[in-house]
Every structure is written in structure tokens, then in C-alpha cells.
Amino acid sequence: MKTDVFVIGGGAAGLAAAAKAAERGAHVVLAEPFGLGGRMLTHIECGVGGMTGPELAARLVSGMRASGRVRVLRTAVVRVSPDKTVETAGGDGSFVCTAGAVVLACGGRDVPLSGTGTPFPAGIDGIFTASEALTAHCLFGKRIGRRAVVIGAGGEGLTVARRLALEGTTVVGVTETASSPRASALSVRDCIDDLRIPLYLSARVLSVKGGDRVESVRVSSGSDEFILRCDAVVCAAGRLPDCSLYPFAEVCASGIPAVDSAFMTGSAGFFIAGGALHSCGSPGGTSLSDGSAAGRAAAAYALGGERIRASYSLTAGKGIGYVVPSRFAVGSEFRAAVRPSADIPSGYVIMRSPSGELLFRSNRTALCSGRETLICVPSEAACGDLIVSAEAI
Amino acid sequence: MKEIRCTACERGCLLLADSDLYEISVSGNGCERGREYALAECINPVRCATFNVRVAGGSRPVVSSKTARPVAVAKILPLSRMILRLEVQAPIAAGQTLFASLLGERIVATSSVEKEG
């Protein structure tokens, strides 16, 4: 089988990439082993513009199908070769497909329990990651417990806490190691304020105890130590990019795959977008715009049209955890997703040349280490290598 | 005195609203939008609420749903408690009304569920 663009993953980024590539005239194959929509299907809350995840997913799917140039395979990708051959297995069957361009939009994964810093005992029931808890409730219609503790007050943790509370589970508390929630004011309002869920800040989970199933969580908050009784614990420690399908990708110092402003990796014709690349927050936001940009560029690459020449570098400087992309084309506007390494209640994202000359300063904004800030870099600033930093006012 | 977290912009100021019989005064706001937001939150805070509803005879055991219009915050938990005890019959199409009036609110499906088999 041959195609112009092969898209791996049918979440927000994959659907957007497939739709955009098809719109540009490319023939597209999209592989997704589960339902089209990915994480949007488990985020049933109203998002931007009052649209819920499932509604957005349905709209993206019909937009993608409207072109008539996308073939969807219900199958899992098992191998991607450097010559742009993609092998799949299971579901609709095993395929070997040679593509002109490959878009990896296979999503991220939850930080594994072992990597969260919380001492979870081995072989005990009732411990879930955020995605597992949302999937149980929203896809399988199963409750994870009667009384739950949520660890981590980021966007995902608050979404889970709210969903649990609305499905009859008592959320006995949300704990957060930072001194403020790592989520937007909107999520804090909808979860903590509206549903009166207790939030413990500067709080560390010391131990998780139980027999066959979780029974209690010991928390230290400042000089206080207390026990929360529960039968379920949800660990919402954030998401990690996952491009294990594509081990050839060059990775920046910050641990994020290196891509240019059209989301192409160092290997020509390979693109990475959405959760597979960086932590995009609630599904349907950044991953959508990532996917569109990657799909457009992938079609252009496969059909031999315009290609961007990304020759200048964008690197993370003071106060920045990582920045996407890491390369950009000279003289053209681009979007950058910047993850601050510390919270700054009111500050700027600043871009300087390596010699220290100030080239760009964002509007004043709240910078939160728990989520990315999106910056539109104007063409005037894109005139040489840039170093990004975060500064308080 | 009421504490309100402002959602008018990303900064998320903590607003303080104090009201007597005639007037609501707002402090802690970084801008005028914060004041307007605090007034709306004091008088009648509303939200779009979403729920999973149990489905009988469907290809999936639950369907996602939302209130047809934003509802008062005080209604969200009581609504969720009622919905937990209810069940709808497959097939369901996105946009379909699941319950015409629960506490005076219409609940509509936000996804589709096919009949089993």
C-alpha cells in the first residue's frame, strides 16, 4: 500500500493533521486502534466555546471525512522505519504502507506511578492515573470508588476530581505540592470552588496504606500531618510526550523531540504533533493547532510543494523548562509553546538574540509551571537564533 | 463577604465581593472586567454542567450529556444525583434530548450510542 501522508493516531492532533493534509490535496491514511477522538472522548466538560470533548471529536471526524481523501484503518502501528514504511497489526488487519510523509500524533501517556515521587505500595488495588480514572467513568461507566483522594491539582487532576464528584464519589481532598493550583482559574472555579472539594496546598503525600485495597493516605501540609480515609487514589502527575514508535527522533536538552515550526523532526518527512511531542493540556487546544500545522506541512512535503527552511534555533533559557519548536524559518511568524520552570504570577515571555539583544516581549501574563503558555512570535523577531526566558515584572 | 476567583483572564485574581442591601462592592480586581465578573457571580453564577448517563442496550454503557443552557451552580450537584439514578435506552444520537425537565433543565446527549449488536 502507498499513500502521500500516513497519520498515526486519531486524537485531536491526528484528526486535524489528516483533515489539513487532505484539504491540501494529499491522499491520507490514518491509523487508530481505538475510537476516533482519543482523549477528547473522556473529557466531557465544556471547553473553549462551550463545546464538549465528544462534540469536538465528532466535528473533527466529519470534517476529516468530508474531503473523501482520508482512509481510516482501525489498527495499531507497530513499527515505523526510517524509509517511511509503516507497519500495523490487529484490528482491521496487518498492513505495510509506504508514505511520502509520516505524522506521529499518537499522544502522550500519564507519568507512570513509579515516576511521581509518591510512595505507592506494590500490589494494592484502587490506585489509578488520571486517564485511567476518566476512561473508567466516561467510556466504561464504572466508578473507581466511593471515597477518593486526587494527588496533583493540575488541569487534569481538577478535571478528574470534578468528574468523580459529579458521579457520586466523595472526593475527600485534592493534594498539591506547590503553593498554588497548577491549573487555570477556570478549572479551579469549576472544581474546587463550585463543588466545594477540599484542596490541600504545599501538601505532600507521605504514605498510601491499605490491605488488598487502598484504605488511607497520610498527608503532610506545612507543620500539619493528617490522614485522609479513602478507597481510591488518583495520581494526576501530568503527561509525558511519547514517541517510542519513532526512536530516531533527535531530542533537545529539555527532553522534548526537536522539531521545526512546521513540526518536522530532524529526519525529513517525519512530523510529530500534539501529546506525542509535548504536554498540550486539555485535549483539543494546542494539539489541534499542532496537528493542522503538521498536516499542512506533511502534505507539502509529500506532494513536493513548498518546504520551509528552518535554519534558526529557539532554545530554552532562564526560567523555561522547554520550548516547542526548537527551530524556525527566518522571517516568518510562528507559534511557540513555552513551559515555564517556575510560577510567575505576573510576568513576560522574552526572546533575545544570543548576544542579549531584546527582540520580542509577550503581553503581561501569568506564567504557570504546570502548563504551557502559547506565544505568537512575529516575523520581525524571527530574524536569527533566539533564546527564550521568563521574567517577572 | 464572598471570595471569588476571577476567570475573566489568565491571571485569576482573587476578588472580594461585599454586599449590603443596596450595593455590591468589589475589591482585589486587576481590571474592570473583574468587577463585572464578580457582580455576575454574586447575583447568579451559572455554568454549563456535563454528566455521564447510563445507557441500556447500547454499544457503550454510558453517554455523555450536558445541560441545554447554563444552569445555576447550586443546581449542579442535585442534578448529578438525580441523573445517577436514571437510565436511557439506546440508540442515542448526539443532540438528542435525554430528559426534558430535571429541576426545570433540559439534558441533551453530546455523543451518540448505537444499539448493541
Side-chain angles (χ1 to χ4, degrees), chain A residues 44-46 52 54-55 137-141 163 165-168 185-186 188-190 193-194 364 366 371, chain B residues 5-7 10-12 37 41 47-52 60-62 64 66 73 76-77 80-81 84 110-111:
Chain A
I44 69 164
E45 277 71 27
C46 293
T52 66
E55 290 171 310
H137 276 264
C138 301
L139 295 184
F140 300 123
R163 185 52 36 212
L166 289 178
E167 310 235 325
L186 203 73
V188 176
R189 179 196 79 179
D190 287 352
D193 300 350
D194 284 2
R364 195 171 69 168
R371 59 199 160 88
Chain B
R5 197 160 338 241
C6 186
T7 60
E10 284 287 288
R11 284 168 66 190
Y37 176 76
E41 283 288 287
R47 309 276 183 265
C48 169
T50 60
F51 310 97
N52 284 311
R60 284 196 291 135
V62 282
S64 56
K66 66 177 181 185
V73 169
I76 296 177
L77 273 176
S80 77
R81 293 295 175 268
L84 278 179
T110 54
S111 54

Side-chain angles (χ1 to χ4, degrees), chain A residues 9-27:
Chain A
L15 292 172
K20 197 52 100 174
E23 184 192 303
R24 292 291 166 116
H27 286 276

